[in-house]
């Protein structure tokens, strides 16, 4: 379309998060699929994988995190050690879940 945006800005680049506020995407869950090929030319394998991404800071979106923990087999969390040690209800949810959790310790910006 003629309205497409040719650039993507992440939060660490000069035109990123500090310049442009997230108006619509903050707290939304985006989804994509990984659909491996099966045996035939147009066949799909039975092990399709759905990948979900919570836009924004999960510590601010307890409802979305609860939902993702209920439907996911594995969650991947990027969190600073400082935030992980605070008494945040979302961090408590991670401790109480049966969902496999992968933590990436990050530095606070």
């Amino acid at each position: 379309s003629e309205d497409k945006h040719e650039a993507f800005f992440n939060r660490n680049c000069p035109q990123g998060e500090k310049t442009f506020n997230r108006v619509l995407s903050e707290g939304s869950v985006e989804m994509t699929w990984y659909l491996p090929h099966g045996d035939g030319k147009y066949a799909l394998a039975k092990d399709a994988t759905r990948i979900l991404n919570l836009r924004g800071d999960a510590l601010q979106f307890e409802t979305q995190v609860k939902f993702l923990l209920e439907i996911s087999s594995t969650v991947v969390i990027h969190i600073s050690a400082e935030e992980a040690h605070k008494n945040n209800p979302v961090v408590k949810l991670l401790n109480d879940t049966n969902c496999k959790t992968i933590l990436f310790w990050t530095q606070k910006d």
Side-chain angles (χ1 to χ4, degrees):
S1 106
E2 292 179 23
D3 296 338
K4 76 177 183 176
H5 188 56
E6 296 281 340
F8 171 81
F9 300 114
N10 73 20
R11 68 182 179 156
N12 295 324
C13 70
Q15 292 80 22
E17 186 174 290
K18 294 172 182 74
T19 305
F20 299 106
N21 293 328
R22 293 180 182 162
V23 177
L24 298 175
S25 66
E26 192 76 17
S28 65
V29 176
E30 57 190 8
M31 180 179 78
T32 190
W33 288 91
Y34 170 66
L35 302 170
H37 289 286
D39 294 334
K41 182 176 180 181
Y42 297 106
L44 293 176
K46 294 181 181 179
D47 56 348
T49 302
R50 178 181 52 220
I51 301 164
L52 300 165
N53 179 47
L54 173 62
R55 300 293 308 258
D57 185 349
L59 297 175
Q60 298 174 6
F61 299 105
E62 184 176 352
T63 302
Q64 289 89 327
V65 171
K66 279 182 186 177
F67 169 72
L68 291 171
L69 289 172
E70 287 176 15
I71 67 166
S72 301
S73 59
T74 305
V75 294
V76 178
I77 307 289
H78 295 256
I79 190 167
S80 70
E82 176 186 326
E83 289 294 334
H85 288 97
K86 289 182 180 177
N87 190 17
N88 185 297
V90 172
V91 174
K92 182 168 175 18
L93 285 172
L94 296 173
N95 288 328
D96 296 341
T97 186
N98 291 326
C99 184
K100 296 176 197 164
T101 305
I102 300 170
L103 292 174
F104 285 100
W105 299 108
T106 60
Q107 300 244 343
K108 185 85 172 153
D109 291 351

